[in-house]
Amino acid sequence: MTSEQAEDTAVISFDGVSVTYESRLVLNQVDFRLRNGEFVYLIGQTGAGKSSFLKLIYREVLPAEGRVRVDEYDLGKMSNRQVPFLRRKLGIVFQDFQLLPDRSVYENVAFALEVTGNSGKFIKQRVVEVLSMVGLSNKRNQYPAELSGGEQQRVVIARALANEPRIMLADEPTGNLDPDASASIMELLQQINNRGMAVLMVTHNYDLVRQFPYRTIRINSGKLQDIPQSKIIAAAKR
Amino acid sequence: MSMSYVIKEGISGFRRTPLASLTAVIALMVSLILIGILARFYYSAYEIGTTIRNDIEIEVFLQDVPEDRRRVIRGELQALPIVDELTYISKDSAAAVFRELFGAEGTPLSDLSFLPASYRVRPVADVPADTLVRYLSVVRDIRGVDEVSFNIELLRLIDERLQTVLLVGGGLGLLILFTAMILVFNTIRLTIYAKQSIIRAMKLVGATNGFIRRPFVMEGILQGIIAGILANGLVLLFFTRILPYFIPQFGVIPWPFGRWYFLAGALMGLSVVMGLLGSRWAARKFIKDATLS
């Protein structure tokens, strides 16, 4: 694929992006492409800048220099008012589930559709659809505290999927889960990716990266490096 | 955006953070009670002052002038912008008034023909004392006018007192309002802080700041309505039961503009506006600064 073709199909692109925190250079002249329907792991040590990388994409942080594009948005040129509309194109999943504890599974998912102004009839239909997609149709009336960690993360994924985003950003989605629950979340993300959604996942879990192999990049000293699968396997064995 | 969603979320805000909501309602209610009680007392003081002021009359004593000159003087007085009402007191009427005022003590003066005829002038309400003084000199210069009597010192004193009442009352009212706004702002900020997880979740799924803010503003309005109803009930209770029971003479002080519902309406309006502004102010700042991670 030529760089022009990659540009055409890229849903996220970074060009010469730098980020500084309190005069510390976190990302240094970074170039990156996430293509439509691609699955990419982002790895790196704690404090390497992985979260900053994601914050750039959902525009919680602006680059000190360079250009970030997400779908049709040039993030440096967009106004603050447009940020919510950018976030509707992204399904965001965090390690801490960020579910509303006083609302049922159904209400937690419906809430994402209510705040984006959908009609009641559509909301009902869509919530049933996404809950079935994540395998939680039978738990729709339960509250987050009544669910396991893996199930809670499924609700978060269902909520992220509700508005049919083009890109899924997952920041350590298996960080609080046991190996079985982690594998099941990975399978779910794989299914979502197979439906054509691009997935960018931050992780520390090399076993998962080995078990579900996709393009892997590492942030190291503010730079991005593509990591060959062989290195991942070697690292996981250690 | 669905209005039913905003109302539903606004109401459920009470259920989710009952203590913080109750604190906001109480803060607002206490401020309104203070404002309501002060408003009625200050309004009464102001009205009493204004009534006394409007009762002060100007007496224009005439020389012994013929009938046609007297009519000219009347015309000239009526042409003055400070004159509201004009009453002619003939020499005979003046004597009758004298006898009425002094009764038996007036009898030694069997001949009261020395009392001059006069015009009693009621000035237009709310004319400043300095303006009156300026026109009084014009009146004195009218040919046929002997003397002008007017208690300018009393008028100045009343004006000064009225101004003090207005300044102190207005200042106190503003101070209470400001304190109440800060209290309401902070309590609503606490309720919003208690809901930071919902704000983060809303931002996460792409809700606009306006959308996130609306249920909080609705909650502020509801708090205002509840506080307004409670404060009105307590202010009415204070003026119709408590105050007359302990200090009966205060039971007769007038309601602002004559009816209780003007004060009640004003308090209710103020309460809703304060709830709305306080919540909007707090929500706007908090929502703008909230981050996703």
Side-chain angles (χ1 to χ4, degrees):
Chain A
M1 185 182 284
T2 65
S3 63
E4 276 175 13
Q5 280 171 321
E7 182 67 51
D8 282 347
T9 60
V11 283
I12 296 174
S13 61
F14 283 33
D15 292 293
V17 172
S18 299
V19 173
T20 50
Y21 267 140
E22 293 164 358
S23 72
R24 188 171 70 90
L25 197 59
V26 179
L27 293 176
N28 183 11
Q29 299 277 330
V30 165
D31 295 318
F32 169 72
R33 297 283 180 277
L34 177 71
R35 286 183 288 276
N36 198 12
E38 194 181 15
F39 196 125
V40 173
Y41 292 113
L42 181 63
I43 61 173
Q45 289 181 331
T46 305
K50 302 185 296 292
S51 294
S52 301
F53 193 92
L54 290 190
K55 282 179 182 175
L56 280 168
I57 298 168
Y58 56 76
R59 205 180 176 271
E60 194 144 296
V61 164
L62 281 169
E65 60 176 341
R67 191 178 79 154
V68 178
R69 280 188 72 87
V70 176
D71 207 13
E72 79 258 36
Y73 294 105
D74 184 335
L75 272 48
K77 288 182 182 163
M78 76 190 298
S79 68
N80 287 338
R81 281 174 175 273
Q82 285 178 296
V83 173
F85 301 97
L86 159 78
R87 289 180 184 165
R88 290 177 197 182
K89 304 261 180 185
L90 305 169
I92 307 173
V93 177
F94 287 115
Q95 180 179 0
D96 57 333
F97 309 121
Q98 297 201 357
L99 289 171
L100 303 172
D102 56 350
R103 292 174 201 227
S104 67
V105 166
Y106 179 93
E107 288 167 335
N108 262 287
V109 179
F111 162 81
L113 293 156
E114 279 169 344
V115 302
T116 45
N118 290 286
S119 71
K121 194 178 162 195
F122 175 77
I123 292 172
K124 276 183 193 159
Q125 188 189 328
R126 183 67 186 154
V127 174
V128 169
E129 224 172 87
V130 288
L131 282 181
S132 130
M133 208 185 286
V134 300
L136 285 178
S137 299
N138 56 335
K139 307 251 173 170
R140 53 182 288 176
N141 295 321
Q142 290 190 261
Y143 284 82
E146 298 166 338
L147 304 176
S148 68
E151 286 169 333
Q152 288 189 47
Q153 196 58 291
R154 281 172 182 270
V155 181
V156 175
I157 293 171
R159 186 178 68 186
L161 291 174
N163 280 308
E164 298 183 78
R166 289 196 66 187
I167 307 154
M168 172 80 76
L169 300 180
D171 192 354
E172 307 253 19
T174 59
N176 286 336
L177 306 179
D178 60 51
D180 286 348
S182 299
S184 105
I185 290 296
M186 280 309 298
E187 278 163 14
L188 180 58
L189 290 176
Q190 207 169 29
Q191 278 172 33
I192 290 164
N193 176 243
N194 287 341
R195 288 167 174 250
M197 190 183 296
V199 178
L200 176 61
M201 175 172 153
V202 170
T203 187
H204 271 119
N205 191 334
Y206 285 16
D207 279 337
L208 280 182
V209 177
R210 186 178 49 83
Q211 211 178 327
F212 300 88
Y214 288 106
R215 182 181 152 209
T216 304
I217 52 172
R218 183 171 69 187
I219 302 183
N220 190 18
S221 305
K223 293 285 188 189
L224 290 190
Q225 298 169 299
D226 265 286
I227 308 291
Q229 197 60 28
S230 56
K231 277 197 173 181
I232 304 285
I233 294 168
K237 279 180 181 167
R238 280 200 298 272
Chain B
M1 181 201 292
S2 157
M3 197 60 198
S4 63
Y5 169 81
V6 175
I7 294 171
K8 188 183 81 185
E9 284 296 313
I11 293 171
S12 63
F14 275 84
R15 191 167 42 84
R16 293 195 176 110
T17 49
L19 191 65
S21 299
L22 186 71
T23 314
V25 167
I26 290 173
L28 204 48
M29 184 191 76
V30 170
S31 315
L32 289 167
I33 290 172
L34 284 175
I35 290 171
I37 291 174
L38 261 180
R40 193 170 172 195
F41 279 131
Y42 273 92
Y43 180 84
S44 300
Y46 184 75
E47 204 174 60
I48 290 163
T50 311
T51 308
I52 295 170
R53 188 188 195 282
N54 290 341
D55 279 347
I56 300 175
E57 290 178 328
I58 304 167
E59 283 184 296
V60 180
F61 295 104
L62 307 180
Q63 296 164 352
D64 278 332
V65 289
E67 177 70 19
D68 54 344
R69 182 65 217 158
R70 192 165 53 75
R71 274 203 293 274
V72 172
I73 294 171
R74 181 185 185 89
E76 287 187 39
L77 287 173
Q78 274 176 331
L80 296 174
I82 56 158
V83 175
D84 185 25
E85 263 181 57
L86 200 62
T87 316
Y88 176 65
I89 311 290
S90 66
K91 287 170 83 75
D92 292 343
S93 303
V97 171
F98 186 89
R99 283 196 195 92
E100 196 183 307
L101 282 175
F102 295 97
E105 291 171 34
T107 47
L109 300 164
S110 54
D111 182 12
L112 293 173
S113 62
F114 67 91
L115 290 172
S118 63
Y119 279 110
R120 193 171 289 166
V121 177
R122 179 184 288 276
V124 172
D126 302 329
V127 176
D130 290 342
T131 310
L132 275 178
V133 169
R134 206 168 59 243
Y135 278 103
L136 288 182
S137 62
V138 175
V139 174
R140 275 192 199 97
D141 291 343
I142 296 173
R143 192 159 60 84
V145 169
D146 184 32
E147 198 186 328
V148 178
S149 163
F150 178 63
N151 196 344
I152 189 70
E153 282 72 28
L154 178 63
L155 187 76
R156 284 204 164 114
L157 186 75
I158 291 170
D159 276 359
E160 265 175 36
R161 295 291 184 271
L162 283 177
Q163 210 169 11
T164 311
V165 164
L166 275 179
L167 279 175
V168 173
L172 266 176
L174 280 177
L175 189 73
I176 294 171
L177 265 181
F178 181 72
T179 315
M181 280 300 282
I182 299 284
L183 266 173
V184 170
F185 170 74
N186 273 314
T187 32
I188 292 175
R189 211 163 63 151
L190 276 179
T191 68
I192 293 175
Y193 186 77
K195 289 174 191 163
Q196 57 180 330
S197 60
I198 191 172
I199 293 175
R200 277 175 73 188
M202 283 171 120
K203 283 195 145 188
L204 194 67
V205 294
T208 59
N209 286 356
F211 186 95
I212 301 171
R213 195 165 55 234
R214 264 163 232 154
F216 290 110
V217 174
M218 177 57 72
E219 197 180 329
I221 292 173
L222 290 174
Q223 285 169 354
I225 291 171
I226 294 171
I229 291 170
L230 291 174
N232 268 318
L234 290 171
V235 167
L236 282 177
L237 185 74
F238 177 78
F239 281 116
T240 55
R241 296 276 182 272
I242 299 170
L243 195 64
Y245 181 78
F246 290 105
I247 316 170
Q249 54 271 42
F250 272 122
V252 295
I253 61 171
W255 288 100
F257 307 104
R259 296 278 184 275
W260 66 269
Y261 47 76
F262 286 119
L263 180 64
L267 284 183
M268 186 53 113
L270 189 65
S271 183
V272 171
V273 167
M274 279 169 67
L276 186 152
L277 290 182
S279 57
R280 197 181 145 80
W281 185 19
R284 181 184 281 264
K285 182 157 172 43
F286 197 86
I287 291 165
K288 195 168 153 261
D289 296 344
T291 57
L292 296 192
S293 48

